[in-house]
Amino acid sequence: MLIVGGGINGAVSAAALAARGVKVAVIDRGDFANFTSQESSNLVWGGFKYLENYELPLVWKLCGSRNELMKAYPNMITELGFLATLDKTAPFPALLAGLGTVGYWGIGRFATKPPKYFRPKAIKKTEPIVNTATAKGGVQYQDAYLKDNDARFVWSFVRSALDNGATAANYVNLDKAEREDGRWHVWLRDTESDRELKLVAKTIVNAAGPFVDGLNEKWGNATDHRVVYSKGIHLVVPKLTDSERVLAFFDDTGRLFYVIPMAHRSVIGTTDTRTENPAEPVFDEDRQFLLDQINARLDLDTPLTMSDIISERSGVRPLVVERKGGDQTDVDWTSLSRKHEIDVDKPTRIVTIFGGKLTDCLNVGEEVVDAVSSLGIKMGPEAEGWFGEPSDEEFQAFMARARKLGLDKAPDIEREPSVAHVVWRRHGRAATAVLDAIEEDPALASPALASSDLLRAELPVMAEREMITRLDDLLRRRTKLSLVLQRDELGADAGMAEINQVLFNKG
Ligand SMILES: Cc1cc2nc3c(=O)[nH]c(=O)nc-3n(C[C@H](O)[C@H](O)[C@H](O)COP(=O)(O)OP(=O)(O)OC[C@H]3O[C@@H](n4cnc5c(N)ncnc54)[C@H](O)[C@@H]3O)c2cc1C
């Protein structure tokens, strides 16, 4: 089986199939998660805002997926409150929003803390930064977020696939695939060395995200569904609130947007605009829109300007629509569903994944397994632990060892319980290799870069296990360093020399 695309959908499919003994390879023409899956809001959520479009089945399903992920990843995924301030731009009164949050809690099987209603004064007391001058009230509902980042989460599935015998290759492009004698003959190109590789596969899973339609067209695969693009951007700025809470507001168009915690920074986003270009950058008008929206809703001594932006993200949601549904120009864009669909073409043996959410990844994995089974590929018994963190006993044993090495202290980076928690979250079972390295040389317990939570001892472990090919793979995807630190700051850091040495063997 060949999986084309190593975003969340390709990675989770590879992990789910490898866990059942299927001989599988996953490729991406860039790094794993280099496209949409590194541009999300990092939220693991049931989609409170989709209730506005009465998408009850989707919200029910997403809440179930959120609950399953929260249980499976008790350290990587953290529950947090979403405090939504309702003012004149809110599309409904505070009381109705309050009822909505209770309904949402119920749809979420009461798996989170209960929602709360806030009068404007209480909002001010809880989050003094919020401008409550025109607020009518506020509601807080609960969801969760990926404490590291989306791309690291994707990597965990690639690693799981590798651990169960899969082949995974980043920076490998699919140049051409032809069906001959009931097999796919595939020409691949290593984009680093320009070397051509050849592969034969029984079945292809098309997990190319925004690019699925282009590949299907080339392969003559007429699907029932296709994707359209909705662009969303995020701006990373200095920390706006001390709490580990999401602040939610309705923008001037009545759409919810957020201030989301990310280490010692805040992330403002997102937007939802139609585009035909899957790789559209952040434009000045996008930046200005978000800055204007947030400045109007916060009590800041000095309003945020473009010079406060530390980093930014821009991605397109590949939204699934029915092919026979026309060009979609006459629909309310923001109301298009965020569901996923999986099309199976039996004659050509192509399984295509359309749309989806990070939150729904386990369902995508299971559904791809079913789709592949329907093509007659045999599945073995499911390997245990193909997703999720290792057991609590393993976590406790790791923490006990980490305490002895003095890693139970809080790191310089805020909102982290301890250095050990960060290491565990990042590496899971492989975190013990980091402890081994520190036991051998205690100096390796120091940060790899100033103002970072990455330890020097992690570098060799990552060099060996994480298929880091370019510096950005480390800074942007295996960690979130280039999101929370300015590029110049990173470039000037003396620790960069050691990183280059350990990862790429160059000084
Ligand atoms: C702004 C924004 C915010 C979001 N927020 C959230 C959120 O908070 N929570 C949530 O659950 N979801 C969120 N989502 C949705 C989620 O991020 C996406 O649904 C998901 O990342 C899509 O993953 P994917 O694997 O389908 O696509 P991608 O991540 O784009 O992966 C497709 C991969 O295919 C590769 N590829 C394409 N063509 C080829 C080829 N010819 N050869 C080799 N490789 C190829 C690409 O390089 C790419 O890496 C958000 C999305 C956006 C845009």
Side-chain angles (χ1 to χ4, degrees), residues 4-10 27-31 33-37 39-45 172-174 207-211 215 230 232-234 270 315-318 355-359:
V4 184
I8 188 63
N9 285 340
I27 56 154
D28 199 293
R29 63 183 167 195
D31 187 22
N34 79 91
F35 212 73
T36 323
S37 299
E39 311 290 356
S40 82
S41 304
N42 289 311
L43 300 174
V44 176
W45 59 345
V172 167
N173 186 57
L174 180 136
F211 304 99
L215 287 178
S230 149
I233 72 144
H234 292 92
T270 176
V316 292
R317 304 166 186 89
K357 308 217 42 103
L358 289 154
T359 308

Side-chain angles (χ1 to χ4, degrees), residues 48-195:
F48 176 62
K49 62 183 177 184
Y50 309 146
L51 288 180
E52 260 187 83
N53 301 326
Y54 307 107
E55 288 213 66
L56 286 173
L58 177 67
V59 176
W60 172 263
K61 209 169 157 194
L62 285 177
C63 280
S65 308
R66 174 202 66 190
N67 295 350
E68 193 179 1
L69 286 178
M70 280 167 64
K71 227 166 121 190
Y73 296 92
N75 292 284
M76 280 165 77
I77 296 177
T78 305
E79 178 180 336
L80 31 65
F82 284 58
L83 173 56
T85 301
L86 299 140
D87 61 12
K88 58 183 185 312
T89 52
F92 28 69
L95 196 65
L96 193 62
L99 285 174
T101 58
V102 175
Y104 185 62
W105 186 43
I107 296 171
R109 291 68 147 177
F110 309 106
T112 60
K113 287 185 196 142
K116 280 189 204 163
Y117 180 80
F118 287 73
R119 292 185 190 284
K121 261 192 187 162
I123 300 178
K124 196 75 196 163
K125 207 168 151 217
T126 313
E127 290 288 351
I129 197 170
V130 176
N131 176 354
T132 51
T134 59
K136 294 177 194 141
V139 290
Q140 179 170 291
Y141 59 94
Q142 300 288 127
D143 261 318
Y145 83 133
L146 287 160
K147 224 173 143 94
D148 287 312
N149 62 2
D150 38 18
R152 177 93 206 159
F153 186 58
V154 172
W155 167 253
S156 71
F157 288 105
V158 178
R159 189 62 250 178
S160 156
L162 286 165
D163 291 344
N164 281 316
T167 300
N170 47 358
Y171 297 101
V172 167
N173 186 57
L174 180 136
D175 279 350
K176 194 169 75 168
E178 283 173 2
R179 195 148 175 85
E180 231 180 83
D181 310 326
R183 292 274 188 279
W184 280 103
H185 295 258
V186 185
W187 283 261
L188 305 171
R189 193 168 35 84
D190 176 343
T191 60
E192 291 291 291
S193 64
D194 214 30
R195 191 161 61 101

Side-chain angles (χ1 to χ4, degrees), residues 294-430:
I294 200 64
N295 283 330
R297 285 158 183 84
L298 296 180
D299 266 340
L300 295 168
D301 293 338
T302 340
L304 289 170
T305 65
M306 302 244 190
S307 64
D308 293 303
I309 300 172
I310 295 163
S311 64
E312 46 195 31
R313 296 154 72 95
S314 175
V316 292
R317 304 166 186 89
L319 303 180
V320 54
V321 293
E322 296 218 1
R323 200 169 277 282
K324 61 176 190 264
D327 65 3
Q328 305 286 333
T329 43
D330 54 350
V331 298
D332 168 9
W333 197 248
T334 56
S335 72
L336 280 180
S337 178
R338 268 59 177 163
K339 65 181 180 185
H340 68 261
E341 292 285 352
I342 293 178
D343 282 9
V344 183
D345 188 62
K346 287 203 167 160
T348 55
R349 299 178 68 90
I350 299 171
V351 175
T352 307
I353 311 166
F354 298 90
K357 308 217 42 103
L358 289 154
T359 308
D360 219 10
C361 63
L362 297 180
N363 286 331
V364 168
E366 299 294 340
E367 288 168 36
V368 168
V369 164
D370 291 346
V372 169
S373 284
S374 78
L375 292 171
I377 301 224
K378 288 212 174 62
M379 304 281 159
E382 183 183 318
E384 256 181 58
W386 70 267
F387 69 91
E389 292 175 27
S391 67
D392 192 48
E393 291 82 74
E394 284 175 85
F395 173 61
Q396 296 306 339
F398 166 82
M399 290 306 272
R401 238 185 112 194
R403 255 191 303 279
K404 283 194 196 138
L405 294 168
L407 300 178
D408 53 341
K409 60 182 189 305
D412 294 343
I413 303 298
E414 296 150 60
R415 293 175 175 151
E416 294 292 1
S418 78
V419 176
H421 276 89
V422 181
V423 172
W424 173 263
R425 219 170 51 219
R426 217 164 3 234
H427 302 279
R429 199 160 281 135

Side-chain angles (χ1 to χ4, degrees), residues 449-465:
L449 297 168
S451 47
S452 90
D453 60 10
L454 180 70
L455 303 185
R456 290 174 60 212
E458 290 178 74
L459 297 175
V461 176
M462 295 172 95
E464 194 186 313
R465 290 175 50 84

